[in-house]
Amino acid sequence: MNNTYRPYKDTARKAGITTLKDAIDQMLKSYQLQSRFNETYLEAFWGKMMGSAIASRTNRLYVRDNILYIEIASAPLRNELVTAKHKMIQLINKDIGAEVIRDVVFI
């Protein structure tokens, strides 16, 4: 006798049904909003990506034409980030999952 209790037995995805994530991705692509969504994601989750030490010393942050503009309050931190610019670009693009940033400009 196989009387195993399966509370979620009917949760398998049925054919022809799209997940919410896939539906949102399709909508962003069809309205050509994917790049702007990625830029906004970067601005919103800057602290999570770079950590609280960098985020707390960042005055302004915005993206224009795949270039990230950052205003850093601390000169030593700015110099440190300039030397690690290539690694920072790779980290951001990897976290987002697309090539959002081509270059970083420190202002």
Side-chain angles (χ1 to χ4, degrees):
M1 265 173 91
N2 189 359
N3 291 335
T4 58
Y5 176 66
R6 295 179 61 203
Y8 301 109
K9 66 181 179 180
D10 295 328
T11 59
R13 194 174 322 159
K14 296 174 176 53
I17 296 179
T18 306
T19 64
L20 182 59
K21 180 189 181 314
D22 292 339
I24 291 173
D25 286 343
Q26 289 174 3
M27 181 195 69
L28 290 173
K29 286 178 185 173
S30 66
Y31 288 109
Q32 300 174 351
L33 296 173
Q34 186 68 46
S35 63
R36 183 62 189 139
F37 175 79
N38 290 339
E39 292 170 1
T40 305
Y41 177 85
L42 169 63
E43 293 170 7
F45 291 99
W46 176 252
K48 180 183 167 217
M49 287 181 190
M50 291 293 134
S52 61
I54 295 174
S56 66
R57 290 171 178 83
T58 302
N59 292 340
R60 284 186 359 191
L61 172 79
Y62 59 95
V63 179
R64 295 283 183 263
D65 299 325
N66 293 19
I67 299 174
L68 176 62
Y69 295 90
I70 307 171
E71 182 179 337
I72 302 287
S74 170
L77 178 62
R78 181 181 308 133
N79 290 335
E80 184 97 12
L81 291 177
V82 166
T83 60
K85 182 165 67 168
H86 183 67
K87 185 176 180 179
M88 185 169 59
I89 292 170
Q90 289 177 338
L91 177 72
I92 291 169
N93 289 336
K94 181 181 176 187
D95 190 29
I96 293 177
E99 187 176 344
V100 179
I101 302 300
R102 287 182 293 124
D103 194 15
V104 178
V105 174
F106 297 96
I107 52 176

